[in-house]
Amino acid sequence: MERVDFLVIGAGIAGASAGCELAAFGRVVVLEREERAGYHSTGRSAALYTQTYGPPVVRALTVASRPFFDDPPAGFAGHPLLTPRGVLLVGRADQSAALDAAFAQARRLTPSVSRLDADETAARAPWLRPGYAAGAVAEPEAMDIDVHALHAGYLRRLKAHGGRLVTDAGVHALHRRAGQWEAETAAGRFAAPVVINAAGAWADRVAALAGARPLGVVPKRRTAVVFDPAFPAGEAGTMATIASWPMVVDVDERFYAKPDAGRLLASPADETPVEPCDVQPEEWDVAVAVERVEEAARFAVRRIAHRWAGLRSFVADKVPVAGFDPDADGFFWLAGQGGYGIQTAPALSRTAAALATGGAIPDDVAALGVTAGDLAPARLVREAKEPMP
Ligand SMILES: Cc1cc2nc3c(=O)[nH]c(=O)nc-3n(C[C@H](O)[C@H](O)[C@H](O)COP(=O)(O)OP(=O)(O)OC[C@H]3O[C@@H](n4cnc5c(N)ncnc54)[C@H](O)[C@@H]3O)c2cc1C
C-alpha cells in the first residue's frame, strides 16, 4: 500500500490542476482509470476562454484565472496558453431583448464588452447571411486556450513537485480506516487522509464507493463537428480570412461556430442527460448542428471532416463544487465544472487546494465575491434533504 497525503481521483483538467496545486502542501498521487490522462471531457472541449458565460460564480472564477493564463509559472508551457479569438453573441431581431440582457450582465465583470448593430456584426462575422443578425455583444478579450499545453503543464509541474500520476488505475473500492482513505485500483492500493473526487462525469459514482451521498452530478452530452464551409462561387476568398473570425454564439445558445485550424468547428449546443460513459456523437445532433449553422450562414456544409461528443457535468445550480463532504470525513469534492472546467481551472484548483488544506478562499477569488458556501457540497445536500414545497 502506497501512503501519501492526498489521493486525487481523475486526471482530467480538474484532477491535474488540483493535484499540481496540492503538491505544494504534501505528497500527491493522481489516479486515472484510462491509459492516458485527458481522454474524456478535457480532451473534447471547444477550448474557449470567455468571461461572459455561465452563472456569476463561474464568471468570477474565469476572471480570477486570467492572470495564470497570461503569465503561468516559468517553464509551464513553451508558448502562450491563450491566443486572441474574440466572441460575438449574436441575435436576430426577435432576440434583441436577450442581447440587451446579455450585454447588461456581461459588462458588470468585463467592461471591455460592447454592443454591436447589424452592420458592425456583419463586418466582424463575414460568414453570416446578410440580414440574419440584428446585432451582437462583442467580447474582444475572449481567447482560444491551448488545452493540451495547460493540461500537460499541470501534470509536468505535479511531477516536478514530487507528485505522481498513475494511469490504468481505476478506483473500484474506497474504505475509511483509522483516519485514512484506502483506494483499491487495478494498479495497486493507495492510502491518504484526504481524497479529492475529480472524477468528472463519474463523481457521484466515486462518492458512492466512499459511502457519500450523491450530489446529483448530471453528465450532459454535447456534440461538435468540424467542416470546410462551402461558400457560393465567387466568394471563396472569404475563406482566406477564416483564422481571424471571432467565435459566433447564438445568444440563446442554440448553436455556436468557431474557426479551428483553417476549418470551422460548430455545435448545436446540445445538453442531453446521459449516464457517464465514453460518449459518442448521435447522427441526429450532427444533423441539427449543420441545420442550425446553415440557417445563419452564407455557406453550405457539404462534408463533415471530424465529429465528436463530450460530457459537460452539472449539479442543479450549474456552479462547480469544491469542498469537503459534510458527512464523509476527508472526502473532498471537485466536480460539476459543466461547460467551463478548462477556463476556470487555474482559480478553481488554487481554491480547492486552499480549502482541502484547511485554508480560506484565496484573496483574489474572494475579492470577486466567491465564498466557500457558493462552492460547498453542503448547499446541494441541504437542498436534497429539504422537503418539497
Ligand atoms: C463539446 C464540449 C465543449 C466544451 N467547451 C469548453 C470550453 O470552450 N471552455 C471550457 O472551459 N470548458 C469547456 N468544456 C467543459 C470542459 O471540457 C469540462 O468542464 C472539463 O474538461 C471537466 O474536466 P474534469 O477533469 O472534471 O473531467 P474529465 O476530463 O472527464 O476527467 C475526469 C477523469 O476522471 C476519470 N475517472 C472517473 N472515474 C474514475 C475512477 N473510478 N478511478 C479513476 N479515474 C476515474 C476519468 O477517466 C476522467 O479521465 C466543454 C466540454 C465539451 C464536452
Side-chain angles (χ1 to χ4, degrees):
M1 174 106 66
E2 181 173 340
R3 294 187 180 277
V4 291
D5 299 302
F6 304 98
L7 284 179
V8 179
I9 301 178
I13 195 66
S17 55
C20 170
E21 296 293 342
L22 282 165
F25 295 89
R27 284 162 307 151
V28 177
V29 164
V30 179
L31 299 168
E32 169 55 49
R33 185 182 47 209
E34 303 292 347
E35 67 174 357
R36 68 178 175 85
Y39 174 72
H40 290 287
S41 303
T42 297
R44 307 181 190 201
S45 85
L48 187 76
Y49 173 95
T50 166
Q51 297 178 350
T52 60
Y53 191 48
V57 171
V58 167
R59 294 179 187 218
L61 290 167
T62 305
V63 169
S65 293
R66 184 67 188 251
F68 183 98
F69 280 118
D70 285 338
D71 188 18
F76 189 88
H79 52 271
L81 294 169
L82 299 182
T83 47
R85 171 57 54 207
V87 162
L88 294 184
L89 290 179
V90 304
R92 302 173 308 266
D94 59 300
Q95 294 172 297
S96 292
L99 280 176
D100 289 338
F103 179 53
Q105 200 190 3
R107 71 195 302 196
R108 277 184 218 136
L109 264 182
T110 311
S112 57
V113 295
S114 60
R115 184 79 164 82
L116 307 185
D117 65 19
D119 290 343
E120 290 164 328
T121 306
R124 293 202 201 178
W127 61 267
L128 288 174
R129 202 156 37 76
Y132 174 81
V137 176
E139 183 191 359
E141 288 172 38
M143 297 277 173
D144 281 345
I145 305 173
D146 186 332
V147 178
H148 177 72
L150 179 71
H151 187 228
Y154 275 125
L155 290 174
R156 222 175 10 251
R157 203 167 153 79
L158 162 78
K159 210 170 151 192
H161 286 88
R164 197 155 87 84
L165 165 68
V166 186
T167 52
D168 288 319
V171 175
H172 54 80
L174 272 174
H175 299 287
R176 186 83 173 160
R177 284 195 195 98
Q180 299 269 319
W181 283 106
E182 295 179 5
E184 288 176 25
T185 82
R189 298 172 70 216
F190 300 84
V194 172
V195 156
I196 312 292
N197 177 9
W202 291 266
D204 272 354
R205 300 271 174 98
V206 165
L209 294 178
R213 210 189 310 251
L215 295 183
V217 176
V218 179
K220 296 184 175 176
R221 184 179 66 232
R222 177 152 291 188
T223 308
V225 296
V226 171
F227 57 88
D228 292 305
F231 281 93
E235 292 187 31
T238 314
M239 279 299 288
T241 60
I242 191 167
S244 64
W245 298 349
M247 179 166 177
V248 166
V249 183
D250 170 63
V251 68
D252 293 319
E253 215 186 339
R254 286 185 77 247
F255 71 87
Y256 61 73
K258 172 184 195 261
D260 185 73
R263 294 177 151 152
L264 268 188
L265 178 163
S267 172
D270 45 332
E271 299 196 291
T272 311
V274 293
E275 290 296 309
C277 65
D278 182 2
V279 71
Q280 299 302 317
E282 298 285 326
E283 278 310 315
W284 172 261
D285 294 319
V286 169
V288 173
V290 171
E291 183 185 290
R292 290 185 181 171
V293 171
E294 283 187 334
E295 262 171 34
R298 289 195 295 116
F299 57 72
V301 181
R302 301 247 160 79
R303 196 181 70 82
I304 306 279
H306 185 38
R307 69 192 74 197
W308 72 91
L311 297 175
R312 301 156 77 248
S313 297
F314 295 92
V315 292
D317 61 11
K318 297 199 154 187
V319 170
V321 187
F324 279 108
D325 188 274
D327 303 317
D329 246 14
F331 188 83
F332 190 96
W333 289 82
L334 182 57
Q337 290 87 341
Y340 14 76
I342 315 288
Q343 63 182 34
T344 55
L348 193 56
S349 57
R350 269 193 299 126
T351 301
L355 295 174
T357 53
I361 297 241
D363 288 345
D364 61 315
V365 179
L368 290 163
V370 180
T371 67
D374 290 331
L375 303 172
R379 76 187 196 269
L380 301 156
V381 172
R382 231 185 352 262
E383 264 169 33
K385 278 182 185 165
E386 273 165 14
M388 298 287 282

